[in-house]
Amino acid sequence: MRIATYNVNGINGRLPVLLKWLELREPDIVCLQELKSPDERFPEAAIQAAGYQAIWHGQKSWNGVAILARAALPMETRRGLPGDSDDLQSRYLQAEIGGLTIGCLYAPNGNPWPGPRFNYKLAWYKRFSAHAKKLLAAGKPTILAGDYNVMPTELDAYRPERWVDDALFRIEVREAYAKLLKQGWTDAIRTRHPNARIYTFWDYFRSAYARNAGLRIDHLLLSPDVAPLLKAAGVDGEVRGWEKTSDHAPTWIELSPAKKATSRKRATPVKPAAKKLAKR
């Protein structure tokens, strides 16, 4: 099973790129971010024609998340994070698909630091962390995939010294991400590539993609019962080089099929059959 996350940076404007990638890679489940579209303008017909069922949580001009599935209809279980009824930004969507809980997220950017946007980001992360902890307590196989807007370590940023006071690299945000992992989540990309410089985002300016001056800010976190199934993880970086593409690239994992538990009953000893004496 292949599960991916992709910040499309405007689903209607980038729809040809998304459809091309879906046809090429055929992921089973996809989490999309930054739709920049109200609910009524989500391109449901085109997504269905590509072989996917979808649920979405849109917002005009900003934010927006969606979950796509190729073999089943995502069954929505949550829209928005709990903990702040006044927060109307479309940043979280959750569904059940084939025995998996899928959380699709688009964390706040938080710039400029310091300021109210940065404070909102920290508050959002606190609510997200509390929700993630409850998901672990529920004991269901869970994947939290999306644009986290954080580079967890210096390995995740080209020239990290330039990002020290950016909201994506501020120590407070990195600590929030590290605290999230300590709950028991596995960072799939970093687990499969512990020492590699792997990026998921390249700015449109200063020929960032051509220079491979990128950031790793898109992550897939796996619950303890999903982590052992992780077979591969990577980034379709070539998509960033396509015409009229997003500044992010699709990030994905491959999972081995879950082994079904089988009851092991103690075998009942079979008594040897009594030998019949031949008649003479």
Side-chain angles (χ1 to χ4, degrees):
M1 174 181 284
R2 176 169 288 220
I3 301 170
T5 181
Y6 186 19
N7 181 321
V8 292
N9 191 15
I11 191 167
N12 289 298
R14 318 284 183 195
L15 187 58
V17 172
L18 173 62
L19 295 177
K20 178 181 176 181
W21 172 72
L22 289 174
E23 182 180 10
L24 181 68
R25 300 296 280 172
E26 296 185 334
D28 298 287
I29 298 172
V30 183
C31 291
L32 301 177
Q33 302 86 39
E34 212 169 348
L35 304 180
K36 295 182 177 179
S37 169
D39 283 339
E40 63 272 17
R41 290 199 60 220
F42 183 84
E44 181 179 15
I47 296 296
Q48 288 183 343
Y52 290 83
Q53 299 294 322
I55 59 173
W56 59 93
H57 182 23
Q59 185 175 342
K60 185 179 180 180
S61 302
W62 306 100
N63 307 322
V65 285
I67 301 176
L68 282 53
R70 194 154 60 99
L73 175 67
M75 302 302 295
E76 183 177 322
T77 56
R78 171 161 286 281
R79 177 171 294 232
L81 284 178
D84 185 357
S85 58
D86 294 329
D87 185 3
L88 303 179
Q89 296 189 32
S90 302
R91 295 188 176 276
Y92 186 78
L93 189 62
Q94 185 177 301
E96 298 287 332
I97 306 173
L100 284 173
T101 298
I102 303 293
C104 175
L105 64 124
Y106 176 46
N109 178 286
N111 279 305
W113 171 87
R117 291 184 178 180
F118 185 75
N119 295 338
Y120 168 70
K121 181 173 187 172
L122 292 182
W124 189 94
Y125 256 99
K126 186 175 182 179
R127 287 191 291 129
F128 177 63
S129 183
H131 180 62
K133 189 174 183 179
K134 289 181 180 179
L135 288 175
L136 286 181
K140 294 182 179 180
T142 302
I143 298 172
L144 300 176
D147 180 353
Y148 282 71
N149 265 321
V150 59
M151 298 97 81
T153 71
E154 292 189 354
L155 191 60
D156 301 308
Y158 178 81
R159 303 196 68 173
E161 67 276 8
R162 292 188 173 185
W163 295 89
V164 174
D165 287 333
D166 190 278
L168 278 67
F169 199 57
R170 280 290 306 175
I171 186 61
E172 299 93 330
V173 180
R174 287 190 285 153
E175 286 178 348
Y177 184 84
K179 185 177 180 181
L180 184 65
L181 292 185
K182 287 181 181 178
Q183 292 180 355
W185 300 97
T186 293
D187 182 331
I189 288 286
R190 190 49 70 208
T191 297
R192 295 295 300 181
H193 308 279
N195 301 309
R197 286 199 174 274
I198 294 180
Y199 303 135
T200 66
F201 167 91
W202 297 261
D203 207 331
Y204 289 125
F205 305 104
R206 297 179 296 278
S207 302
Y209 180 67
R211 296 186 295 113
N212 196 29
L215 310 173
R216 188 178 77 96
I217 58 177
D218 303 273
H219 312 301
L220 295 103
L221 302 190
L222 317 180
S223 64
D225 37 8
V226 177
L229 307 178
L230 182 62
K231 184 168 63 173
V235 180
D236 290 339
E238 69 278 7
V239 178
R240 176 60 180 84
W242 292 356
E243 186 178 357
K244 296 182 180 180
T245 192
S246 170
D247 43 8
H248 294 249
T251 305
W252 53 267
I253 60 172
E254 286 187 2
L255 300 179
S256 301
K259 295 181 180 180
K260 293 183 178 179
T262 55
S263 58
R264 297 184 178 180
K265 295 182 179 179
R266 182 178 295 177
T268 303
V270 179
K271 295 181 180 179
K275 294 182 179 180
K276 293 184 179 180
L277 297 177
K279 291 182 180 180
R280 292 184 180 180

